[in-house]
Amino acid sequence: MSGKVVLTYFNGRGRMESIRWLLAVAGVEFEEVNITKRQEYVKLLSDGALMFEQVPLVEMDGMKLVQTKAILNYIAGKYNLYGKDLKERVMIDMYAEGAQDLMQMMMALPFMPPDTKETKLEEIERKATSRYLPVFEKALIGSQYLVGFQLSCADVQLLETTLMLEEKFPTILSKFPAVTAFQGKMKSLPAIHKFLQPGSKRKPQPDDVYVKTVCEVLDFKL
């Protein structure tokens, strides 16, 4: 197990997608095990592979890692994407968690009743433009990165967030020139450019098949 990185999750974005992004930026090859049936999930539980009975699960360095934030922090720390000291690290954490707040709102959309999605989309757009993007805009004015002078996991998560936002609101960055410039620079980095190409391990927007699989595996009723 220590010789390769294996991701166990559904065949879709969800909470694993930020982990895929960070591994790709770090240049780490990984394999994926897709959960498609409830019995596969139950077996993970019975084997004791899931500490809190939740996925994602990442096997690397001889460990079985769970809890998304812990996994992201481990990868960031290992591959020099976590700042130069504790003060930079706590700032990276704050920006990264802000990005995750936005992403998690969007992750929930496919699992909502159709009659509530429009209202939720309006809420996401309002919060993104009034609460979150202004913070990132301020941090990036005159700076290439959110924290310090080198790429961090917060930058990667912000890029992922802005791309997700644009899928729903194509012009949402129009009033945030620093974030727009940041996005362009990030997309030109070789590892990110490669991950954005067709055929990479980046997952598409969730579809009905993904939603149905997640609900059946987790015995979740919409």
Side-chain angles (χ1 to χ4, degrees):
M1 184 172 68
S2 60
K4 61 184 178 181
V5 177
V6 180
L7 316 186
T8 300
Y9 198 67
F10 308 102
N11 186 23
R13 289 182 181 174
R15 292 180 178 271
M16 185 66 88
E17 189 70 353
S18 292
I19 297 167
R20 296 184 186 103
W21 267 96
L22 203 57
L23 288 170
V25 170
V28 178
E29 294 291 331
F30 56 87
E31 300 176 8
E32 296 205 48
V33 175
N34 294 324
I35 303 171
T36 59
K37 298 179 176 63
R38 178 156 178 83
Q39 55 264 39
E40 295 166 348
Y41 172 69
V42 171
K43 187 176 188 305
L44 288 171
L45 295 178
S46 63
D47 290 346
L50 306 178
M51 183 183 291
F52 296 106
E53 302 184 4
Q54 296 171 315
V55 287
L57 168 66
V58 174
E59 298 176 74
M60 65 184 299
D61 296 341
M63 299 183 291
K64 292 187 176 182
L65 305 176
V66 296
Q67 298 299 99
T68 308
K69 182 181 176 183
I71 297 167
L72 290 169
N73 288 351
Y74 180 77
I75 295 167
K78 179 172 181 176
Y79 294 102
N80 196 31
L81 295 165
Y82 209 6
K84 63 180 175 58
D85 55 31
L86 279 174
K87 288 187 176 180
E88 284 197 356
R89 188 170 298 177
V90 74
M91 292 302 299
I92 288 167
D93 283 341
M94 287 194 287
Y95 286 125
E97 289 200 44
Q100 284 290 330
D101 285 348
L102 265 177
M103 282 194 279
Q104 286 173 24
M105 284 190 279
M106 288 184 281
M107 284 179 212
L109 280 170
F111 299 92
M112 292 183 170
D115 59 346
T116 65
K117 286 185 181 179
E118 191 62 36
T119 300
K120 189 63 179 178
L121 277 168
E122 291 172 0
E123 179 189 346
I124 292 170
E125 184 176 23
R126 175 176 54 78
K127 287 184 175 179
T129 55
S130 66
R131 181 185 299 181
Y132 292 97
L133 288 173
V135 173
F136 296 124
E137 178 76 8
K138 181 179 179 181
L140 289 167
I141 291 174
S143 179
Q144 185 174 357
Y145 303 113
L146 285 169
V147 180
F149 301 100
Q150 65 182 41
L151 182 70
S152 76
C153 58
D155 298 307
V156 179
Q157 288 175 64
L158 176 57
L159 174 62
E160 182 188 0
T161 303
T162 61
L163 294 173
M164 288 177 70
L165 284 169
E166 286 182 322
E167 289 173 341
K168 301 298 183 187
F169 317 104
T171 63
I172 196 167
L173 298 186
S174 61
K175 295 181 179 179
F176 301 97
V179 175
T180 300
F182 162 84
Q183 188 195 71
K185 291 174 185 176
M186 289 287 288
K187 287 163 72 173
S188 70
L189 297 176
I192 290 174
H193 178 75
K194 180 180 178 182
F195 194 61
L196 291 171
Q197 299 310 301
S200 79
K201 292 184 177 179
R202 185 186 181 209
K203 300 298 182 183
Q205 293 190 63
D207 58 15
D208 291 343
V209 173
Y210 170 75
V211 173
K212 182 174 182 288
T213 301
V214 172
C215 290
E216 288 179 352
V217 169
L218 299 180
D219 195 22
F220 176 67
K221 303 293 191 297
L222 291 178

